């Protein structure tokens, strides 16, 4: 976490702010953005290829970017706060960077990765990830790329909560400790199938009528409507 990446950008002029001009810049391989600092805001322009390289290193989107504006030598330590992508091509269309001080903590949203094998899954359960991101606070250089949640103790019908995660030095979790990260449950389809089987069995039993004891070797025979049934002895001898 906290990898330093140098990113050279150009300041956007007033004539590069309009939507028509911005679309043309994007076609030329540039991404418009904004660098927010304490007491100032700068409209910037960065090559899409250089931006992707900066944000696909070991620290991913949590890398500390040393933004160097064209014509200046002093870098601006910043982190990516927001970005937009083209809905079809997936290319970056806009970025927002916020300047940070390396000696002051910041807040960030970090992805949760499930690791390990759930015992409940081996019993027919399905692991469902509930929380995919967590909010944390740490120094810019200590923001983790992601957080691993070990589910090797996740039993059937069990849950994995934030409070069960091991502490990470220098990192504070900001979400509720009771936050559910993952569950292991029986698939709804299996439950519905089991309920359907039970219902079918009950209907079949109801159609068959009440069961009678045949220990006395007699069977009830229905009589004519309005008459009681007769009993016939099946022992092989006739009664006098």
């Amino acid at each position: 976490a906290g990898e330093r990446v140098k990113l050279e950008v150009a300041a956007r002029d007033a004539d590069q702010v309009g939507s028509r001009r911005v679309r043309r810049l994007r076609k030329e391989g540039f991404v418009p953005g904004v660098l927010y600092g304490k007491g100032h805001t700068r409209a910037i322009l960065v090559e899409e290829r250089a931006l992707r390289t900066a944000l696909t290193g070991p620290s991913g989107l949590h890398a500390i970017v040393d933004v160097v504006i064209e014509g200046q030598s002093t870098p601006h330590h910043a982190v990516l706060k927001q970005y937009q992508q083209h809905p079809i091509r997936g290319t970056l269309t806009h970025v927002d960077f916020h300047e940070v001080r390396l000696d002051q903590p910041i807040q960030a949203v970090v992805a949760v990765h499930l690791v390990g094998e759930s015992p409940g899954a081996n019993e027919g359960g399905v692991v469902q990830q509930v929380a995919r991101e967590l909010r944390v606070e740490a120094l810019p250089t200590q923001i983790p790329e992601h957080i691993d949640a070990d589910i090797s103790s996740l039993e059937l019908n069990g849950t994995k909560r934030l409070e069960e995660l091991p502490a990470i030095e220098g990192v504070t979790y900001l979400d509720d400790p009771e936050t559910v990260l993952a569950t292991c449950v029986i698939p709804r389809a299996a439950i519905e199938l089991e309920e359907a089987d039970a219902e079918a069995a009950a209907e079949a039993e109801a159609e068959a009528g009440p069961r009678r004891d045949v220990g006395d070797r007699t069977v009830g025979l229905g009589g004519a409507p309005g008459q009681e049934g007769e009993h016939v002895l099946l022992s092989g001898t006739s009664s006098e």
Side-chain angles (χ1 to χ4, degrees), residues 8 12 30 91 110 118 144 198 229:
E8 296 183 351
R12 267 195 296 162
F30 292 95
T91 54
V110 181
S118 166

Side-chain angles (χ1 to χ4, degrees), residues 125-181:
V126 173
V127 175
Q128 297 180 336
Q129 186 167 357
V130 179
R132 298 186 177 275
E133 295 177 331
L134 290 174
R135 294 181 301 114
V136 302
E137 183 176 84
L139 293 175
T141 56
Q142 294 182 312
I143 296 293
E145 178 186 356
H146 63 266
I147 295 173
D148 289 334
D150 188 359
I151 60 171
S152 58
S153 61
L154 183 59
E155 302 288 348
L156 190 62
N157 295 324
T159 59
K160 181 75 174 183
R161 300 181 185 275
L162 172 58
E163 61 186 355
E164 301 174 46
L165 293 183
I168 302 176
E169 185 177 359
V171 177
T172 301
Y173 296 119
L174 300 179
D175 292 292
D176 188 333
E178 292 291 323
T179 299
V180 176
L181 305 180

Side-chain angles (χ1 to χ4, degrees), residues 24 90 121 207 227 232:
R24 183 180 301 174
E207 292 174 359
Q227 297 181 350
V232 179

Side-chain angles (χ1 to χ4, degrees), residues 105-129:
I106 61 172
Q107 295 182 5
V109 177
V110 181
V112 177
H113 291 179
L114 302 183
V115 297
E117 186 174 352
S118 166
N122 295 329
E123 298 177 13
V126 173
V127 175
Q128 297 180 336
Q129 186 167 357

Side-chain angles (χ1 to χ4, degrees), residues 185-234:
V185 297
I186 298 175
R188 181 60 192 170
I191 296 176
E192 292 176 349
L193 180 60
E194 184 177 340
E195 292 175 348
D197 288 344
E199 185 177 347
E203 291 178 354
E205 184 174 346
E207 292 174 359
R211 297 183 180 181
R212 299 182 180 181
D213 184 10
V214 295
D216 61 356
R217 304 290 292 168
T218 61
V219 177
L221 300 178
Q227 297 181 350
E228 296 182 359
E230 298 180 356
H231 283 80
V232 179
L233 192 64
L234 300 179

Side-chain angles (χ1 to χ4, degrees), residues 6 8-9 11 35 42 67-76:
K6 183 178 180 180
E8 296 183 351
V9 304
L35 174 63
R42 293 184 174 92
V67 179
V68 179
I69 299 176
E70 186 178 13
Q72 300 181 9
S73 58
T74 303
H76 300 267

